Amino acid sequence: MTALNERTATELARMLAAGDVSAEELMRACLDRVAAREQTVQAWAFLDPEIALANARAADARRKAGVAPGPLHGLPVGIKDIIETADMPTENGSDLFRGQHTGRDAACVAMLRNAGAVIMGKTVTTELANTCPSKTRNPHNPEHTPGGSSAGSGAAVADFHVPLALGTQTAGSVIRPGSFNGIHALKPTVGRIPRDGVLMQSHTLDTVGVFGRSVEDLALITDSLSDFGAANLSRYGAPHPDLASAMQQEAPAPHFAFLETPAWPEADPGARAAIEGVVAGLGAQCVRESLPSPFDRIIDFHGAVSAGEILAYYGHHAEASPDKVSELLKARLAESKEVGAGDYVAALLAREPLNEALAALLDSYDAVLCLPAAGPAPRGFATTGSPRFNGLWTYLGVPCVSLPRLSVDGLPLGVQLVGKPGEDGKLLRSALWLDRELAE
């Protein structure tokens, strides 16, 4: 019998709604797993069992009082420690913010609470959600990185500490940890989940994403977080937020365009063989395609936008408090100064025509299929892995999902699917079909 803390969020939501299990019982199961494994995995930046249990009891009390349970009633959720929580510290993985209590909930955290979720604790992030590796270890092999910057969120879901978690992606910080930790991960269309109360690194690129144990889990939590208000200036279009309904729509089996992408030369031989095996197995439903020449520069375009905006948001910290900023981040900020204003503007202007070219390709397919990383999680902790297989899609603002269906050298490797901006529902419908096919 599957342990309570190992079930999917979708299964647990049904059990909680039916009264088959209480929020407190579920939280205790999760906390027991943390007690057994946290010394090895080190996924949590802040976790107070008494606060977590009090929040769970409050959820049970609301249900007993007749308050209509929300779609996430009683479900524990981990929150990346660059996202503000009123009752917990938000330290941004940095000595600059050590001990910081803002006393506020980020918009996405408030939406989780309104949907009935129980905020379990704060998960480890790399320093300022940037380049310096964190203390977190990969639960499949603690000698390997869990990825970054959403290291704790990916590891906590993978190691059954919590069924759901929030992360953020500016380059590859949701999809890559999803791949490395062998779980489901969604980076939605930029702007689908509000960023108010989330540490800003890049106003063009930053995207709040989610981790779960099934495609249905991703839809369940994202539906409770979707916001298309006029104040959200970074959104692309205004798609219908109900991903669960979109996934249930009847549609023919999806067709995929396989892309090697400009990062392909960096892929490990094992990763190439694994994804090629998926392509071959899909037969006529997956066609090898290529992108027009402007895509040759897309990784550089992402780098220029990222460099300019990270320097604007973080540069003053390194100058004012150099003793509280890592040498790795200071080196990255120094490199960012070499990117000229003309390069930054050119990269911004290139985004729309590149999105149009991708949309033209996807007029003939349901999703792009590609690698989510160069290979499985690297051994050691000098790096969190290359984000170059993800940054191009983050630059375009398009939705991406990673499915944990491959393995290389005994470690997980995901399959990445990419859709049109705003068509997150269609992307998850295609992902659900492929996930089931690959699980057989």
Side-chain angles (χ1 to χ4, degrees):
M1 182 177 177
T2 303
L4 196 59
N5 62 296
E6 295 182 11
R7 293 179 179 271
T8 68
T10 305
E11 292 173 319
L12 291 168
R14 288 194 290 264
M15 297 171 68
L16 287 158
D20 295 335
V21 65
S22 70
E24 182 177 357
E25 288 172 327
L26 174 56
M27 182 60 74
R28 288 190 182 278
C30 291
L31 290 172
D32 286 347
R33 178 65 176 180
V34 173
R37 290 282 293 170
E38 177 62 4
Q39 187 173 354
T40 297
V41 179
Q42 302 179 69
W44 296 93
F46 177 87
L47 198 163
D48 184 325
E50 290 308 312
I51 293 177
L53 286 168
N55 288 340
R57 293 188 194 106
D60 288 332
R62 287 192 297 274
R63 188 176 188 278
K64 289 178 182 178
V67 177
L72 302 181
H73 164 69
L75 287 174
V77 181
I79 307 297
K80 184 177 180 178
D81 194 31
I82 66 165
I83 302 173
E84 293 183 0
T85 41
D87 54 348
M88 302 173 187
T90 303
E91 297 184 328
N92 301 319
S94 169
D95 289 339
L96 291 162
F97 297 94
R98 197 66 60 206
Q100 173 183 255
H101 287 258
T102 68
R104 299 184 301 268
D105 276 340
C108 56
V109 173
M111 295 170 82
L112 288 174
R113 294 193 203 270
N114 288 339
V118 178
I119 306 307
M120 183 169 167
K122 305 301 284 289
T123 57
V124 170
T125 175
T126 63
E127 177 193 25
L128 298 175
N130 207 269
T131 192
C132 191
S134 72
K135 67 178 183 178
T136 306
R137 301 298 182 247
N138 192 305
H140 296 273
N141 185 331
E143 297 301 317
H144 291 250
T145 179
S149 60
S150 306
S153 290
V157 172
D159 204 45
F160 307 115
H161 299 190
V162 66
L164 297 167
L166 296 189
T168 62
Q169 180 159 312
T170 305
S173 297
V174 170
I175 297 300
R176 191 169 78 261
S179 177
F180 285 175
N181 290 285
I183 56 175
H184 293 77
L186 171 68
K187 184 207 81 69
T189 297
V190 63
R192 175 177 279 273
I193 300 174
R195 302 183 305 195
D196 301 340
V198 180
L199 178 73
M200 186 68 73
Q201 182 170 192
S202 166
H203 59 269
T204 300
L205 305 171
D206 289 352
T207 310
V208 178
V210 298
F211 298 95
R213 299 201 187 109
S214 70
V215 177
E216 293 93 338
D217 286 1
L218 303 180
L220 176 68
I221 186 171
T222 306
D223 276 342
S224 295
L225 293 169
S226 298
D227 180 15
F228 296 100
N232 193 341
L233 300 180
S234 297
R235 66 191 177 93
Y236 281 65
H240 193 284
D242 191 347
L243 302 181
S245 294
M247 285 171 53
Q248 294 168 5
Q249 292 175 3
E250 289 192 15
H255 286 78
F256 303 98
F258 172 60
L259 295 179
E260 294 182 353
T261 83
W264 181 258
E266 300 176 26
D268 297 344
R272 292 189 189 190
I275 199 73
E276 293 276 12
V278 172
V279 174
L282 290 172
Q285 285 180 256
C286 188
V287 177
R288 187 181 298 269
E289 289 280 4
S290 59
L291 291 167
S293 59
F295 275 87
D296 295 344
R297 298 184 58 201
I298 194 169
I299 293 176
D300 292 335
F301 290 149
H302 171 269
V305 173
S306 179
E309 296 184 2
I310 288 172
L311 183 62
Y313 287 105
Y314 290 172
H316 63 284
H317 289 309
E319 293 175 1
S321 303
D323 58 319
K324 295 183 178 181
V325 176
S326 71
E327 294 302 317
L328 274 175
L329 181 52
K330 283 188 281 192
R332 184 172 185 191
L333 292 171
E335 292 173 2
S336 295
K337 292 180 180 179
E338 302 302 315
V339 176
D343 294 329
Y344 171 75
V345 172
L348 289 177
L349 293 175
R351 191 163 55 154
E352 184 174 351
L354 287 174
N355 256 312
E356 290 173 352
L358 177 64
L361 173 68
L362 285 174
D363 284 342
S364 301
Y365 298 96
D366 294 282
V368 164
L369 188 151
C370 57
L371 278 174
R379 186 179 183 88
F381 309 105
T383 175
T384 63
S386 171
R388 289 165 67 87
F389 288 79
N390 320 115
L392 70 164
W393 308 122
T394 311
Y395 163 76
L396 293 177
V398 297
C400 310
V401 64
S402 182
L403 307 176
R405 295 305 175 195
L406 300 180
S407 177
V408 176
D409 298 330
L411 289 170
L413 178 68
V415 176
Q416 182 172 208
L417 297 182
V418 181
K420 287 184 182 181
E423 294 191 358
D424 303 50
K426 180 180 180 181
L427 177 66
L428 286 189
R429 186 169 65 244
S430 299
L432 181 62
W433 182 92
L434 182 60
D435 199 45
R436 291 171 175 172
E437 285 290 306
L438 296 180
E440 292 180 355

